[in-house]
Amino acid sequence: MIIALAGNQNCGKTTLFNALTGSNQHVGNFPGVTVEQKVGTVKSSKKDNRDIKIVDLPGIYSLSPYTNEEIVSRDYILNQKPDGILNIIDATNIERNLYLSLQLAELGVPMVIALNMMDEVRDNGGNIDVEKISKLLGVPVVPISAAKEDGIEELKDVFIRTFENKIKPQVVDFCKGGDNGGVHRALHAIMHMIEDHAQAANISRRFAATKIAEGDESMLKLLKLTTNEVETIEHTLLQLDKEVGMDSQAAIADMRYQFIEDVVKETVVKQAESKQHKTSVAIDKVLTHKYFGIPLFFMIMGIVFYLSFDLIGGNLTSLFESVIDSAIDAIRTGLINYQMNPVVTNMICDGALSGIGSVLSFLPIIIVLFLFLSLMEDSGYMARVAYVMDKALRKIGLSGKSFVPLLIGFGCSVPAVMSTRTLSSERDRRMTIMLIPFMSCTAKLPIYGYISSIMFPGKAGLITLSLYILGMVLSVVMALFLKKFIFKGKSVPFVMELPNYRIPGFKTTIMLLYDKAKDFLVRAFTVIFSASVIIWFLQSFDFRFNVVADTELSILANVAKWISPVFIPLGFASWKTTTALISGFMAKEAVVSILDVLTAGTGINGLFTVASAYSFLVFTSLYTPCVAAFAAIKNEFGSKKLGMAVALLQSVYAWVVAFVLFRLVLLFV
């Protein structure tokens, strides 16, 4: 049995999914798209050994094909033919949530409604007649509290019975009565015209007719209507527009809301304004303030980054590094005692294990950062951040939703790229991904500190700050370029619900951390492992595959010498700096370690002047991201060619900026 879990954003869908599946879930992508798909196995009772899979569809407000999430949700139900739909709705905001429920009912797929947060409704003096609302909607309705796991077992029993017996919604005609006579006639006329086409496409004729009336071009193509049929439908909709005094899409929305209003009037006892809402309004007066909102956010994020990258995450990373180094040393000692071939020993310890260790050492920072971001997200604060930042980002062609991935990019580009999956528009998502590498991740900090402290004594902090600011300024320039020449058009209209502030659920937070950590390791492990072995090999052998005593004779050094002339206009053309940049593709921190090894105590002063040192810093801050980030970008774009194009564009942009700044610095020093 396969069940599709559908609902609005912020209605408790993830909490219910976790309550139903526990740890029996995995994360992937929907076929052909990069929207994240969660699939879990429903925990059954000891008496019930059914294999029940539940697919967590993206949080959406309607089935209109405007955003990736809406298209994915609709296509999944229409094409994958799940056995049923489990529709979760927020009982504290039932009018808005029922709009999606009516659209889902029109699909003609067996459906059960989980009426979530009923405990909050009752606590605030409200009530819902569950039996009556079930009768009026024509589908089973089960009251639950997903956060407290109340009503979950009853919900399982109801949806298993409903879906096994293939009980479809009993009410799908929401245009009867009231002022909907014109809508009723138009929809039923279209239903008669397309009946045979809908049957051939195995689609509910009611749903197909409604989508056509709402101007859904993809539905017309799917039904393969003739030119005469399309013209007849257009004439019918023109008549509807004249009769009701509004376009057909607005008329259908009005019809649905009239039906919802009648249902709510008969079944819902309105709750008093909740304490949560009063508290949320009071907090929002400060956190979303016209002038204080953005500074307060930066202050909060400053604390989060300090805790993630220094106080908590930084200390844990140091501990991890020492444990990993000790483990590698122990393995090396064991291999030597075993009299393993020295070349193989070096490959295992200095190549594969060192590379993997560099990724593992980031894990504490990733977990701590995502812990705080998860708490901010689940509490409802991140929705406010997107709202506050929307106006500024819209000027460069993005919406407020893009701000969070860009912010995460200051920590690590990999989770930042992965977090763009929450963006509604493919255009906005790709554009945001291309801007993330301009944010100076923590892996670049060792480069900034190492070079600036030697080449700019006493001014290291100022130089580092200038690189951070430069990255943000150049990301704006790049965004304006992308907006004008590549990603033309406007960002998707930004509509976001500001939910009440809530205390995040412990179980949901832990599950999220587990998913993110696993996803990060799975994505980075394979790539880092391969890259580590390749870099080690290139540093250890010459072109005749002899082990070299001097790295200057290695394949890597010789290749770097071929590439070095490219950097002559930037002021640094040594094969050593080029080798460091190549190594930086594996991990940015490697730039420092490679320079340190290659200069062998002579220091980097001989490699740089003041001008070329700053040019080198600018280039390292802007050129192609590390291999793990590159892999994430390639996966999100779904194309190796596009990933390579982004890396090339990034490097060309870095070269041009470094060249300009090198020449400018030469004028003043």
Side-chain angles (χ1 to χ4, degrees):
M1 183 183 294
I2 299 176
I3 301 170
L5 176 61
N8 291 178
Q9 296 175 12
N10 302 307
C11 67
K13 189 161 60 66
T14 300
T15 307
L16 176 59
F17 180 76
N18 290 336
L20 287 170
T21 63
S23 59
N24 302 316
Q25 52 184 263
H26 67 270
V27 180
N29 286 350
F30 284 94
V33 292
T34 53
V35 175
E36 190 174 82
Q37 178 194 64
K38 274 188 178 180
V39 181
T41 302
V42 176
K43 294 183 292 185
S44 57
S45 63
K46 293 180 181 179
K47 299 178 182 178
D48 188 358
N49 294 318
R50 290 176 178 84
D51 181 22
I52 304 171
K53 302 288 184 186
I54 186 164
V55 179
D56 185 13
L57 299 180
I60 55 174
Y61 292 101
S62 77
L63 289 177
S64 301
Y66 298 134
T67 68
N68 258 352
E69 285 84 355
E70 290 168 347
I71 294 169
V72 164
S73 298
R74 191 180 75 162
D75 287 352
Y76 181 84
I77 296 170
L78 289 177
N79 301 330
Q80 302 301 318
K81 311 294 182 187
D83 296 290
I85 300 171
L86 179 55
N87 174 216
I88 179 171
I89 68 176
D90 178 0
T92 66
N93 199 352
I94 194 167
E95 291 95 335
R96 173 178 56 71
N97 281 243
L98 282 176
Y99 190 86
L100 175 63
S101 302
L102 300 191
Q103 291 182 302
L104 292 171
E106 288 177 336
L107 287 164
V109 178
M111 184 168 84
V112 171
I113 289 178
L115 199 58
N116 193 27
M117 303 183 198
M118 276 298 292
D119 53 331
E120 289 188 27
V121 172
R122 296 188 184 108
D123 289 346
N124 293 306
N127 196 25
I128 297 174
D129 188 333
V130 176
E131 188 176 337
K132 192 167 187 179
I133 199 171
S134 174
K135 184 178 179 181
L136 292 173
L137 294 175
V139 297
V141 178
V142 182
I144 67 165
S145 171
K148 297 179 180 178
E149 298 197 7
D150 291 338
I152 300 300
E153 291 304 318
E154 181 188 351
L155 178 63
K156 288 182 191 177
D157 293 339
V158 172
F159 71 60
I160 288 173
R161 185 168 61 250
T162 303
F163 300 154
E164 277 192 341
N165 295 318
K166 303 186 186 303
I167 303 173
K168 296 182 179 181
Q170 303 303 299
V171 179
V172 293
D173 192 351
F174 309 113
C175 54
K176 295 177 180 176
D179 302 322
N180 297 310
V183 177
H184 178 80
R185 285 193 300 275
L187 285 180
H188 283 267
I190 295 172
M191 284 164 62
H192 286 303
M193 273 185 272
I194 67 169
E195 186 168 8
D196 54 337
H197 295 278
Q199 190 173 6
N202 198 18
I203 300 173
S204 160
R205 62 175 188 155
R206 170 74 191 200
F207 178 76
T210 305
K211 289 292 112 185
I212 289 172
E214 290 178 327
D216 185 346
E217 294 290 336
S218 61
M219 185 58 70
L220 287 172
K221 294 177 183 176
L222 187 62
L223 295 178
K224 300 177 182 178
L225 300 177
T226 65
T227 304
N228 287 338
E229 288 170 330
V230 172
E231 289 175 353
T232 305
I233 289 171
E234 288 175 351
H235 179 72
T236 302
L237 294 176
L238 283 173
Q239 288 295 109
L240 172 62
D241 294 350
K242 290 179 182 179
E243 184 174 338
V244 300
M246 64 179 85
D247 65 67
S248 55
Q249 190 171 359
I252 290 171
D254 185 60
M255 171 266 293
R256 289 195 183 111
Y257 278 118
Q258 279 190 37
F259 182 85
I260 291 169
E261 186 180 340
D262 293 340
V263 169
V264 169
K265 193 181 295 182
E266 290 190 47
T267 61
V268 178
V269 176
K270 292 285 185 181
Q271 57 183 334
E273 185 182 15
S274 65
K275 292 179 181 178
Q276 294 98 324
H277 184 66
K278 290 179 181 177
T279 304
S280 297
V281 171
I283 294 173
D284 279 344
K285 287 181 180 178
V286 178
L287 294 183
T288 63
H289 191 273
K290 184 177 181 181
Y291 302 111
F292 304 140
I294 294 177
L296 279 172
F297 169 70
F298 281 114
M299 184 181 74
I300 291 170
M301 289 311 303
I303 296 171
V304 168
F305 277 110
Y306 170 69
L307 293 174
S308 300
F309 300 113
D310 190 357
L311 188 62
I312 301 176
N315 289 327
L316 287 175
T317 294
S318 299
L319 178 63
F320 256 57
E321 285 176 345
S322 61
V323 171
I324 291 166
D325 289 342
S326 298
I328 293 174
D329 289 341
I331 292 170
R332 188 192 304 275
T333 302
L335 292 174
I336 292 172
N337 292 336
Y338 184 69
Q339 297 183 345
M340 179 70 72
N341 185 300
V343 175
V344 177
T345 299
N346 289 338
M347 182 189 71
I348 294 172
C349 297
D350 299 332
L353 293 181
S354 293
I356 292 173
S358 68
V359 177
L360 278 176
S361 65
F362 273 104
L363 189 58
I365 291 177
I366 296 295
I367 291 176
V368 174
L369 177 62
F370 266 112
L371 170 62
F372 286 114
L373 292 176
S374 172
L375 295 176
M376 293 167 71
E377 178 73 33
D378 291 348
S379 67
Y381 179 57
M382 278 304 189
R384 273 79 180 174
V385 175
Y387 162 73
V388 168
M389 296 301 300
D390 180 61
K391 187 175 181 180
L393 287 174
R394 198 161 289 281
K395 292 179 180 179
I396 62 172
L398 295 171
S399 73
K401 280 189 174 182
S402 295
F403 184 71
V404 174
L406 292 173
L407 183 71
I408 297 172
F410 284 107
C412 179
S413 296
V414 176
V417 170
M418 288 157 52
S419 70
T420 60
R421 294 178 176 187
T422 61
L423 303 185
S424 303
S425 159
E426 183 69 10
R427 169 195 175 276
D428 288 9
R429 197 176 71 82
R430 293 195 169 203
M431 191 169 168
T432 304
I433 288 172
M434 293 184 70
L435 298 181
I436 286 171
F438 291 102
M439 308 300 118
S440 288
C441 67
T442 52
K444 296 175 184 176
L445 274 175
I447 308 174
Y448 300 166
Y450 178 72
I451 294 178
S452 61
S453 60
I454 296 174
M455 301 303 300
F456 306 94
K459 299 178 181 177
L462 186 62
I463 293 297
T464 300
L465 178 62
S466 73
L467 294 169
Y468 271 83
I469 294 173
L470 181 66
M472 289 186 279
V473 171
L474 291 173
S475 71
V476 172
V477 175
M478 176 60 79
L480 294 173
F481 170 79
L482 294 173
K483 176 186 175 185
K484 186 169 182 65
F485 297 105
I486 299 177
F487 299 110
K488 296 181 180 180
K490 296 182 179 179
S491 59
V492 169
F494 181 49
V495 179
M496 175 169 276
E497 175 194 2
L498 297 183
N500 289 337
Y501 288 100
R502 288 190 172 91
I503 298 174
F506 176 78
K507 185 177 179 180
T508 302
T509 302
I510 294 300
M511 290 296 297
L512 177 68
L513 292 180
Y514 172 77
D515 285 343
K516 294 299 181 184
K518 184 176 72 172
D519 205 20
F520 174 76
L521 290 175
V522 168
R523 287 176 182 275
F525 244 60
T526 51
V527 179
I528 286 290
F529 178 84
S530 304
S532 300
V533 173
I534 291 169
I535 290 292
W536 170 86
F537 180 86
L538 294 175
Q539 286 178 323
S540 303
F541 291 88
D542 61 19
F543 285 105
R544 295 184 180 86
F545 300 107
N546 296 312
V547 178
V548 295
D550 184 354
T551 54
E552 191 162 352
L553 302 174
S554 67
I555 297 172
L556 184 61
N558 279 281
V559 171
K561 288 176 183 177
W562 298 339
I563 302 172
S564 294
V566 173
F567 300 108
I568 292 175
L570 307 187
F572 52 91
S574 167
W575 74 267
K576 295 179 180 180
T577 54
T578 305
T579 300
L581 290 173
I582 295 172
S583 300
F585 180 58
M586 183 185 76
K588 294 302 176 189
E589 306 91 329
V591 171
V592 172
S593 59
I594 293 299
L595 282 175
D596 196 47
V597 169
L598 294 178
T599 53
T602 60
I604 61 171
N605 302 76
L607 296 178
F608 299 109
T609 63
V610 170
S612 65
Y614 193 72
S615 173
F616 183 81
L617 285 171
V618 169
F619 187 82
T620 54
S621 72
L622 299 175
Y623 84 120
T624 182
C626 68
V627 69
F630 170 76
I633 292 171
K634 177 181 71 68
N635 289 336
E636 294 305 311
F637 276 162
S639 167
K640 188 174 182 178
K641 288 182 179 179
L642 283 176
M644 293 293 290
V646 171
L648 181 62
L649 176 64
Q650 198 91 32
S651 296
V652 171
Y653 193 39
W655 192 97
V656 171
V657 173
F659 172 77
V660 171
L661 288 176
F662 175 61
R663 296 299 168 186
L664 287 174
V665 174
L666 283 177
L667 295 176
F668 298 99
V669 295

